[in-house]
Amino acid sequence: MSSLKITEIFYSLQGESNTVGLPTVFVRLTGCPLRCVYCDTAYAFTGGERLTIDDIISQVESYSSRFVTVTGGEPLAQANCNKLMTKLLDRGFVVSLETSGALDVSGVDPRVVKVMDLKTPSSGEILKNRYENIEYLSSSDQVKFVIGDHSDYEWSKKIMMQYRLSERCDVLFSPVMGEQNPTELAEKILQDRLPVRFQIQLHKLLWNDAQGK
């Protein structure tokens, strides 16, 4: 029977993306091949509990929310992640995937909303970016740049323009908490008239980055 290693399944408000603030069930898969310096979910790198896909769906259904986010770690590092998302979609859920962009997204069900990071220089993992994934993004998807300093900002602008990302999908600029002043980032976006969505991680403001929130 198909199974996945799960760190946690919890119910909270979506803290990021274009559904920010909506009650959402989060399915956090265990494991990640990246080690970004600003990672806030290192507890998901190891451990976890192996659950069947049916057990996962049963837990998700218990919260009575139509929105589900599959996250990690890096969820696509587990082979059965795509199968889980397709089954959730077939049950009528609105499913989003939070992925680093380092692994192939071509096999992701096209009904899934992909929220894909492109790793900025300060992440320490810029070489892991898989730019081929951009070809698989649609207008319902989102690309996120997590920005820690001015160099990250300039790099993100360059990549956004080089790949014409704002014409393909939503583009999100998010400051690294404690590193990039959010007001300064907002002012830069306005000054340069960028067609991006500025976001602050809502869950960190509400619950101070508590696990399971």
Side-chain angles (χ1 to χ4, degrees), residues 22-203:
L22 290 177
T24 302
V25 182
F26 293 83
V27 180
R28 189 179 304 284
L29 276 62
T30 305
C32 184
L34 282 74
R35 292 294 183 268
C36 300
V37 298
Y38 50 67
C39 180
D40 53 11
T41 52
Y43 63 88
F45 288 166
T46 58
E49 177 186 5
R50 186 158 292 281
L51 298 174
T52 67
I53 287 179
D54 287 345
D55 285 341
I56 296 167
I57 292 174
S58 178
Q59 288 194 41
V60 168
E61 289 178 332
S62 71
Y63 292 103
S64 302
S65 172
R66 62 187 291 254
F67 293 97
V68 179
T69 293
V70 178
T71 186
E74 168 49 70
L76 292 180
Q78 294 194 49
N80 285 325
C81 178
N82 284 331
K83 186 180 293 187
L84 168 65
M85 291 190 292
T86 293
K87 284 199 168 189
L88 286 166
L89 289 160
D90 290 344
R91 296 287 187 98
F93 291 103
V94 178
V95 179
S96 62
L97 167 70
E98 294 184 343
T99 178
S100 65
L103 300 182
D104 185 7
V105 302
S106 64
V108 174
D109 192 305
R111 296 173 293 171
V112 170
V113 177
K114 295 181 287 294
V115 183
M116 189 180 82
D117 268 13
L118 281 176
K119 297 302 180 184
T120 54
S122 74
S123 72
E125 292 285 27
I126 189 173
L127 296 179
K128 298 286 180 63
N129 285 328
R130 184 185 174 94
Y131 297 101
E132 302 95 315
N133 281 336
I134 292 172
E135 293 302 315
Y136 298 100
L137 298 176
S138 71
S139 59
S140 64
D141 296 326
Q142 301 156 63
V143 170
K144 179 172 69 173
F145 295 91
V146 180
I147 295 171
D149 54 31
H150 185 67
S151 295
D152 281 357
Y153 175 75
E154 291 296 331
W155 180 88
S156 300
K157 276 201 310 180
K158 181 185 76 171
I159 294 297
M160 182 183 71
M161 293 171 185
Q162 178 181 340
Y163 289 96
R164 302 174 72 169
L165 290 176
S166 63
E167 299 174 25
R168 183 181 293 272
C169 63
D170 283 349
V171 178
L172 314 174
F173 275 25
S174 182
V176 177
M177 297 286 282
E179 296 292 333
Q180 169 63 59
N181 181 285
T183 305
E184 289 179 4
L185 177 57
E187 293 288 356
K188 289 176 183 177
I189 290 170
L190 291 171
Q191 179 179 333
D192 292 340
R193 301 190 178 184
L194 299 185
V196 305
R197 181 189 297 268
F198 171 80
Q199 64 170 23
I200 297 177
Q201 293 171 299
L202 178 65
H203 51 288

